[in-house]
Amino acid sequence: MTKRPGVSFEFFPPKSEEAEASLWRAINALAPLKPDFVSVTYGAGGSTRERTHATVARLAQDTDLTPAAHLTCVDATRESVIQVVRGFRDAGVKHIVALRGDPATGLGTAYVPHPDGFQSTADLIRAIRKEGDFEVSVSAYPEKHPESPSLDHDIDVLKAKIDAGATRAITQFFFDNELYLRFVDRVRKAGIDIPIVPGIVPVQNYKQTAKFAERCGATLPAKLADRFEGLDDDPATRALVAAAVAAEQVNALAEQGVDLFHFYTMNKADLVLAICRMIGVKPEAKAAA
Ligand code: FAD
């Protein structure tokens, strides 16, 4: 039997009590899949600082899951970012997804470090590693970061982040597996050997996904648009199509030897549960009494 792939799940911190209840329903539904870790995003420019902390702290204290806290350094002093790192450490969080973050002027506009802030993500990673024995994951962009002059430049930046202490990269989402596989080839040729975990986004809402994809420069294959066309008011069929599309994508990656997957859950469990089953990841059977 082939080895069960490793999975991780990404959530965003909730804004209201209702959203919090819905997040925890999703976490509880996905927990039996025994993910390698579950990560919680850090809102643009640090806007969810307290909520991200509260969510990872609860994960660390009340569950058997391994939380990973996202952290950005844009528009913040070194001191304030280090305070956040110490808060994570004191709450029992041992894994940080270290990011630069988008400038308030928007994705794709030039990054200007805060005068008292970190110059780059590598700089941030070095500071995190000084604060404790953290595992550090970072981003990677199979289709190039919108701000980057070239894929080679992206790979140089990735190398600098690894030299600073990162041990895993999670990719921006993509729908064309060829782009990811070619990127991994280039990364390996550049001598990088850490896992480059594909970021998979189940299409909960095609219009919203298309908007995100446009913002971050991810190609939307014509076939994808065609499959979702006319389903805006038909959530049941849309969910079936979304599960089939993502299952096709992850199965094709698994056939290429990919054995780690990161899911952008959008705080919803159903599609992710179904897709995980397609790659052999399901709740572990309870031992007989
Ligand atoms: P880096 O990896 O440091 O750089 C990305 C690329 O931008 C580089 O490869 C380089 O080509 C180019 N670049 C960087 N700096 C410069 C420079 N000074 N000059 C020229 N080019 C440069 N954002 C959030 O706000 N919160 C989150 O929780 C969050 N989570 C994310 C999780 C994942 C897995 C991914 C892929 C992205 C996430 N983001 C998040 C988005 C991220 O903050 C943005 O994409 C941001 O624009 C870049 O941050 P980074 O850490 O990827 O930057």
Side-chain angles (χ1 to χ4, degrees), residues 37 68 95-99 125 135-139 166-170:
F37 63 91
H95 182 172
I96 293 182
V97 182
L99 302 143
I125 296 166
E135 180 177 351
V136 178
S137 296
V138 291
S139 63
T167 53
R168 176 194 294 99
I170 302 168

Side-chain angles (χ1 to χ4, degrees), residues 195-278:
I196 309 291
V197 184
I200 305 293
V201 68
V203 181
Q204 310 276 0
N205 171 328
Y206 182 74
K207 274 192 185 152
Q208 202 183 56
T209 307
K211 229 191 261 171
F212 276 149
E214 198 183 333
R215 271 191 58 214
C216 60
T219 304
L220 277 169
K223 195 161 95 174
L224 193 72
D226 191 46
R227 284 169 161 185
F228 285 97
E229 193 194 327
L231 292 182
D232 288 351
D233 300 321
D234 183 354
T237 310
R238 204 168 65 216
L240 290 170
V241 172
V245 162
E248 187 176 277
Q249 182 179 19
V250 292
N251 272 323
L253 289 169
E255 275 166 21
Q256 295 292 322
V258 175
D259 59 1
L260 294 173
F261 295 90
H262 181 78
F263 290 94
Y264 294 103
T265 69
M266 317 301 273
N267 293 5
K268 294 196 172 104
D270 293 7
L271 276 176
V272 179
L273 278 169
I275 301 156
C276 281
R277 256 177 190 267
M278 305 307 287

Side-chain angles (χ1 to χ4, degrees), residues 10 40-45 70-72 97-103 107-108 111 119-122 138-141 145-150 153-155 157-158 161 170-173 262 264:
E10 181 171 312
V40 180
T41 59
Y42 198 72
H70 292 220
L71 175 64
T72 65
V97 182
L99 302 143
R100 192 199 66 182
D102 289 321
L107 176 66
Y111 173 69
Q119 293 301 305
S120 66
T121 312
V138 291
S139 63
Y141 298 87
H145 185 273
E147 202 182 310
S148 172
S150 67
H153 182 259
D154 268 354
I155 292 173
V157 171
L158 180 58
K161 294 191 288 189
I170 302 168
T171 77
Q172 184 59 278
F173 70 84
H262 181 78
Y264 294 103

